Amino acid sequence: MKQIDVCLTPDLLHLHTIENTIVVVADVFRATSCMVTAFAYGVNSIIPVATVEECRQWQERGYLAAAERNAKKVDGFELDNSPFTYMDQRIRGANVAMTTTNGTLAITRSRSAVKVLVGSFLNLDAIVRYLKTEGYDVMVLCAGWKGRVNLEDTLFAGALVERLKDSYAMAEDSAIMAWRLYSEGKSNLMTYMANASHIRRLQRLGIQKDIPYCLQHNLYDVVPVLRGNALVKMNA
Ligand code: MLT
């Protein structure tokens, strides 16, 4: 039987072997929700990079560039990482370079996996459908916050475990924990998450509307996958 595992923060990734595994990276607030939305609205590719400096280099080569640190847009870049920014004609067909505090870092650290997919509640069932066609074990990598565990990415991992648990064995307790948490909170994620640290951070910055948006399930039938150094839409 295939296995599903959950890595609760990129700082624990060194404890896992991912070379024979499909990694699903989740940064619900907001990097991976933003990427999924961008592909749904027609972006051609997204190059995820770990540093602002690398992002600037892609910008100098003519890419549209998105840079965020501590949930704020970095000066000098065209785009931030709010999903709403990407509901715009100018991104149709565009090649974007993106750096975010946690999400793009988690993606770049997963490069040795068989495949790296971008997951969020917005494309949850699309991810599930795709994984079921594959013969590999799965690991959900929660992007967390600066090495710490967060609630929203753990809940996403739990949602994925819930949907795959009949055909995948739960590898370790982190998968069981994530699934139990999701079972407890799923009937009202907004209420369950009310006091979560990144929700408070976004609220302090006046970024309210992104929160309920990113918690919606299955808005898009889109699976972004890392090919070389760029994310593209699966089957594109
Ligand atoms: C991240 O990558 O840490 C997030 O996308 C932060 C944010 O909400 O801007």
Side-chain angles (χ1 to χ4, degrees), residues 27 29-32 68 70-72 81 100-104 144-145 198 202:
D27 187 354
F29 298 141
R30 295 165 294 163
T32 59
E68 165 275 331
N70 300 315
K72 289 183 270 193
N81 66 332
T100 71
T101 311
N102 305 286
T104 60
W145 183 260
H198 202 49
L202 291 171

Side-chain angles (χ1 to χ4, degrees), residues 41-60:
Y41 277 81
V43 77
N44 185 54
S45 70
I46 299 175
I47 298 185
V49 294
T51 67
V52 172
E53 194 38 52
E54 284 169 275
C55 200
R56 213 180 305 280
Q57 285 165 9
W58 285 105
Q59 185 183 38
E60 282 161 11

